[in-house]
């Protein structure tokens, strides 16, 4: 991790869960971290909880990544203040329960905008910064086991609707990014991390009763992200699938 000392990392969905864990680990390793989320107050509290000597490494900024204009504004601010971006962690995501055949199309669109377009908006700006400065940056995409298969809940009516399709899209996007990063003549890496059930706010109560104790911690996923970015320049971890022992899916 020495080569990332004082480099700039942007983390979306930084106000809780996996994003919060990644922010803390990156700060602990001496990176300048910009945390993006809609809940600015939550990120400010996270900063206050850090050891005093680490607080200067975290800069919370409010941003709704589903809004392209908001993304452009905040990335303009990041580049003006920090000079560029070296690591992009696309973590923000959402799930709305319901059935694809009957639920409101506007809700479906909201999930698509956050889970897919949010990644695209942020990755475009981050990659542009990496390419212009000719740095060997790294793009991390926090995906899901739901991007590798449709999660079945037995005889229950499926509730995850468009969530799995958005995660399947991110798997395809990861390979497209790999080919494009290479095609543009850069050394930028891309890694998709697909966890099984993680103890976060996104897990519905209906799932928790079935999962039981077979669940990952947010720190487990953060450790995976740190492993991916700590690899030598000639090594790219393209895809990681992480399941808790005993998981049913």
């Amino acid at each position: 991790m020495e080569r990332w000392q004082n480099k700039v990392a942007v983390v979306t969905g930084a106000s809780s869960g996996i994003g919060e864990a990644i922010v803390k680990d990156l700060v602990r390793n001496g990176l300048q971290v910009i945390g993006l989320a809609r809940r600015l107050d939550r990120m400010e509290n996270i900063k206050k909880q850090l050891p005093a000597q680490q607080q200067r490494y975290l800069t919370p900024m409010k941003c709704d990544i589903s809004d392209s204009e908001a993304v452009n504004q905040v990335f303009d601010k990041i580049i003006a203040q920090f000079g560029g971006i070296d690591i992009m962690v696309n973590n923000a995501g959402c799930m709305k329960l319901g059935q694809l055949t009957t639920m409101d199309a506007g809700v479906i669109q909201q999930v698509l905008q956050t889970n897919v377009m949010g990644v695209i908006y942020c990755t475009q700006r981050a990659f542009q910064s990496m390419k212009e400065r000719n740095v060997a940056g790294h793009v991390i995409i926090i995906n899901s086991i739901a991007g590798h298969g449709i999660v079945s809940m037995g005889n229950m009516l499926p509730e995850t609707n468009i969530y799995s399709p958005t995660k399947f899209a991110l798997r395809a996007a990861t390979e497209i990014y790999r080919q494009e990063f290479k095609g543009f003549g850069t050394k930028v890496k891309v890694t998709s991390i697909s966890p099984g059930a993680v103890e976060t706010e996104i897990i519905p109560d209906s799932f928790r009763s079935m999962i039981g104790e077979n669940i990952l911690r947010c720190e487990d996923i953060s450790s995976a992200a740190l492993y991916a970015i700590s690899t030598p320049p000639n090594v790219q971890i393209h895809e990681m699938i992480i399941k808790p022992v005993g998981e049913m899916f």
Side-chain angles (χ1 to χ4, degrees):
M1 292 294 293
E2 289 82 6
R3 69 189 180 97
W4 296 115
Q5 290 285 317
N6 294 313
K7 299 297 184 180
V8 178
V10 176
V11 182
T12 66
S15 63
S16 66
I18 295 170
E20 178 181 349
I22 292 174
V23 163
K24 289 178 177 177
D25 276 345
L26 292 176
V27 164
R28 195 175 296 120
N29 279 276
L31 281 86
Q32 289 288 341
V33 181
I34 297 90
L36 302 183
R38 292 175 298 175
R39 299 178 295 188
L40 185 60
D41 58 331
R42 291 279 293 269
M43 289 190 291
E44 293 288 1
N45 286 334
I46 291 169
K47 181 173 182 175
K48 291 176 183 176
Q49 292 167 13
L50 292 172
Q53 67 273 21
Q54 294 180 10
Q55 291 183 15
R56 64 188 177 92
Y57 290 107
L58 175 57
T59 304
M61 292 187 183
K62 185 174 183 178
C63 182
D64 178 358
I65 65 159
S66 69
D67 181 340
S68 61
E69 184 176 345
V71 170
N72 282 327
Q73 288 177 353
V74 80
F75 273 79
D76 285 346
K77 185 176 180 180
I78 291 167
I79 292 167
Q81 184 172 343
F82 295 95
I85 298 154
D86 303 293
I87 295 174
M88 179 70 235
V89 182
N90 293 289
N91 166 70
C94 68
M95 178 194 296
K96 303 291 183 182
L97 299 184
Q99 283 68 53
L100 199 57
T101 48
T102 58
M103 67 190 296
D104 182 84
V107 176
I108 296 171
Q109 182 65 42
Q110 180 186 351
V111 178
L112 279 168
Q113 280 294 121
T114 302
N115 292 6
V116 180
M117 295 309 299
V119 172
I120 292 171
Y121 297 150
C122 293
T123 300
Q124 279 192 346
R125 291 302 308 270
F127 177 70
Q128 179 184 12
S129 172
M130 297 171 191
K131 183 175 179 294
E132 287 176 350
R133 295 177 299 120
N134 194 29
V135 299
H138 204 133
V139 175
I140 300 285
I141 297 174
I142 304 299
N143 202 324
S144 169
I145 195 67
H148 296 260
I150 307 300
V151 176
S152 174
M153 302 298 291
N155 294 323
M156 294 174 58
L157 189 63
E159 294 183 294
T160 55
N161 52 84
I162 201 67
Y163 182 78
S164 279
T166 65
K167 297 303 183 177
F168 270 80
L170 291 183
R171 276 183 63 203
T174 300
E175 174 59 16
I176 290 168
Y177 283 138
R178 186 191 70 81
Q179 294 182 22
E180 290 185 355
F181 294 171
K182 176 186 175 183
F184 278 115
T186 76
K187 297 295 185 182
V188 177
K189 300 181 186 182
V190 60
T191 302
S192 173
I193 300 175
S194 295
V198 184
E199 185 58 66
T200 66
E201 298 172 354
I202 203 171
I203 298 291
D205 291 339
S206 57
F207 282 27
R208 290 181 185 274
S209 59
M210 299 185 69
I211 292 168
E213 296 181 355
N214 303 320
I215 195 165
L216 296 164
R217 301 170 304 133
C218 295
E219 291 76 14
D220 299 326
I221 313 309
S222 181
S223 295
L226 260 63
Y227 171 70
I229 66 174
S230 67
T231 53
N234 66 310
V235 175
Q236 176 169 250
I237 307 298
H238 186 71
E239 175 72 57
M240 300 175 71
I241 298 176
I242 307 171
K243 294 186 178 184
V245 173
E247 183 174 77
M248 64 183 293
F249 303 120

